[in-house]
């Protein structure tokens, strides 16, 4: 199984602290050594870094830890291959364009007997169940909503149906963002927290590093971090319920739609 | 105007030497300081680096100069904005998926009164004429050939028609690759050379750096370099003819199809 890390904030924020702890799991404190990747939105643009080397051995991961790229939406992934060989084209996150926006997707889990019919609009380049699920998601969204992006509530409702349909085939913890929002779906395991005023000092669980966020933030900053395993030892992480699809906007988990 | 750099080889080769000279033009020996980008194919996978900072000031460009990423097809670009603001989403090269492969595209030039009808299959995220041309190219290829990639000769013939149609609107020097080949079209200015046995020492024109390629190659290696302005002072560069579309495979410019 792989591990996921997502960030959604109201002001561009660097992910150096969280990524430092997360990347340790890519071959050091954990066995996720079959590649890694991270995508940062900057406006509508995306910086996309993938590597089939273990995150702890990767010069590109080293760059990310040192270079504070500021972003309001980030999705990162460290891979332990279950389906698809160790190769660059199988590293998450994946990026495709829909409705004139880039969409970024990463998945943790394993899908069985998942062979949806693709119409050719989005086709996997690699051989993972994950990229196949991403292509299917985008295809179905485009089929349902045509050529223009629907209101967020409609998008959320459609995604809830689609992820439930895919999750029937196995474990489907996933994150999806177009740079304006971040969707996170939990099949089995996902946690989140919101950092906001008053900020505290956070201590990484995977490395002896701490940061006093009150020194590097303003009182208006709000940052949601979503991750497979809590990253810090002294903050309160909230577990997702199995089957839950959460939507984060500006660092705030949005209330579930009324039934 | 921008500058383009492409590499097509028969064995994975690093582009550190050529990129070092090229990146100097991004704000140092030349005025292309409105962003830069580079994409490396590794098999079907792509490493894609873009930055809206000048290449000489970019930590990511620094990484590329130090980290020998080996690839058989590379496209790089340094930007001087003519259309579209300085923003990440306007940095070349652009990447899209078609026929289950990533396609990488970069453009030098300026298109006027270019407003093709897009059917929604590929839509620009940014605001450049370049990304619009790329989306139009892929859309037309998909319309013509449907859901499967045609033989290379057919693809070449279709591209020749399409680039001629686009070039009516202005300057359209461009490079396009799916990782198996590299197409380069010259409207106004493009040069290439093929490095092969016996290899010599090459001297960069933009920086006091030379490399003895005989020390870092095998006799079977063959590397084509395509660029807006020759990169070295002691090698023989061949100019493209205006209107010429060249196809490079395994480091070899392919003979033009018979009329």
């Amino acid at each position: 199984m792989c591990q996921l890390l997502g960030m959604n904030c109201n002001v561009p924020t660097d992910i150096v602290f969280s990524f430092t702890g997360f990347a340790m799991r890519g071959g050091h404190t954990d066995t996720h050594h079959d590649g890694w990747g991270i995508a940062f939105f900057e406006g509508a643009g995306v910086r996309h870094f993938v590597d089939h080397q273990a995150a702890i051995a990767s010069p590109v991961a080293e760059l990310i830890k040192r270079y504070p790229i500021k972003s309001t939406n980030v999705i990162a992934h460290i891979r332990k291959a279950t389906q698809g060989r160790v190769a660059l084209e199988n590293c998450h996150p994946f990026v495709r364009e829909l409705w004139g926006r880039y969409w970024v997707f990463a998945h943790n889990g394993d899908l069985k007997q998942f062979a949806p019919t693709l119409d050719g609009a989005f086709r996997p380049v690699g051989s993972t169940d994950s990229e196949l699920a991403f292509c299917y998601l985008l295809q179905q969204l485009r089929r349902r909503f045509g050529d223009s992006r629907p209101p967020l509530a409609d998008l959320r409702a459609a995604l809830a149906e689609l992820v439930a349909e895919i999750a029937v085939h196995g474990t489907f913890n996933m994150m999806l963002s177009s740079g304006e929002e971040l969707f996170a779906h939990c099949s089995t395991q996902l946690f989140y927290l919101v950092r906001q005023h008053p900020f505290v000092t956070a201590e990484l669980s995977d490395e002896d590093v701490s940061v006093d966020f009150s020194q590097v933030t303003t009182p208006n900053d709000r940052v949601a971090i979503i991750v497979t395993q809590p990253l810090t030892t002294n903050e309160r992480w909230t577990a997702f319920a199995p089957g839950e699809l959460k939507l984060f906007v500006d660092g705030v988990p949005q209330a579930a739609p009324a039934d």
Side-chain angles (χ1 to χ4, degrees), chain A:
Chain A
M1 300 279 279
C2 310
Q3 292 209 14
L4 297 169
L5 169 64
M7 182 175 80
N8 168 270
C9 353
N10 65 339
V11 294
T13 303
D14 82 64
I15 198 168
V16 169
F17 175 74
S18 295
F19 184 74
T20 298
F22 186 67
M24 291 299 285
R25 298 174 184 173
H28 188 81
T29 56
D30 209 328
T31 59
H32 300 82
H33 44 53
D34 298 330
W36 67 279
I38 190 166
F40 303 80
F41 277 96
E42 271 182 43
V46 173
R47 293 178 191 264
H48 180 225
F49 301 90
V50 281
D51 206 339
H52 59 270
Q53 297 183 65
I56 55 154
S58 159
V60 187
E62 203 49 44
L63 172 85
I64 308 293
K65 284 192 264 177
R66 283 198 316 259
Y67 177 34
I69 297 171
K70 287 182 186 278
S71 173
T72 48
N73 285 282
V74 177
I75 293 178
H77 183 270
I78 46 179
R79 180 159 186 250
K80 183 171 164 61
T82 51
Q83 293 188 30
R85 66 193 182 93
V86 178
L88 194 63
E89 66 268 26
N90 288 335
C91 291
H92 310 217
F94 302 100
V95 184
R96 290 288 192 286
E97 172 262 314
L98 170 65
W99 300 320
R101 294 285 301 208
Y102 294 119
W103 292 80
V104 167
F105 170 89
H107 166 221
N108 147 342
D110 208 6
L111 301 173
K112 307 283 187 195
Q113 282 88 50
F114 178 62
T117 303
L118 296 182
D119 64 15
F122 302 94
R123 277 172 55 182
V125 173
S127 53
T128 62
D129 52 346
S130 309
E131 191 188 7
L132 178 59
F134 179 38
C135 289
Y136 179 68
L137 272 179
L138 295 186
Q139 166 185 301
Q140 296 305 98
L141 289 177
R142 188 161 178 233
R143 279 194 188 179
R144 183 172 312 203
F145 297 111
D147 277 347
S148 13
R149 184 189 168 112
L152 197 50
D154 297 350
L155 184 59
R156 180 184 192 161
L159 270 174
E161 281 177 37
L162 285 166
V163 296
E165 177 193 335
I166 295 170
V168 166
H169 294 272
T171 306
F172 194 57
N173 303 300
M174 73 90 185
M175 294 183 189
L176 176 72
S177 176
S178 74
E180 296 181 354
E181 74 304 290
L182 192 146
F183 290 99
H185 178 257
C186 172
S187 269
T188 53
Q189 195 182 345
L190 217 48
F191 294 84
Y192 77 95
L193 63 70
V194 176
R195 293 193 180 117
Q196 57 193 340
H197 184 77
F199 290 95
V200 299
T201 296
E203 286 158 16
L204 284 183
S205 45
D206 293 81
E207 198 168 17
D208 187 16
V209 172
S210 64
V211 64
D212 180 356
F213 283 111
S214 70
Q215 300 296 312
V216 292
T217 51
T218 73
N220 296 324
D221 293 6
R222 209 167 39 229
V223 179
I225 302 283
I226 307 104
V227 70
T228 300
Q229 288 272 13
L231 286 165
T232 54
T233 51
N234 68 327
E235 294 176 295
R236 184 171 299 181
W237 294 81
T238 303
F240 281 59
E244 190 176 13
L245 176 72
K246 274 196 179 294
L247 165 60
F248 295 84
V249 178
D250 292 335
V252 180
Q254 305 295 295
D259 286 326

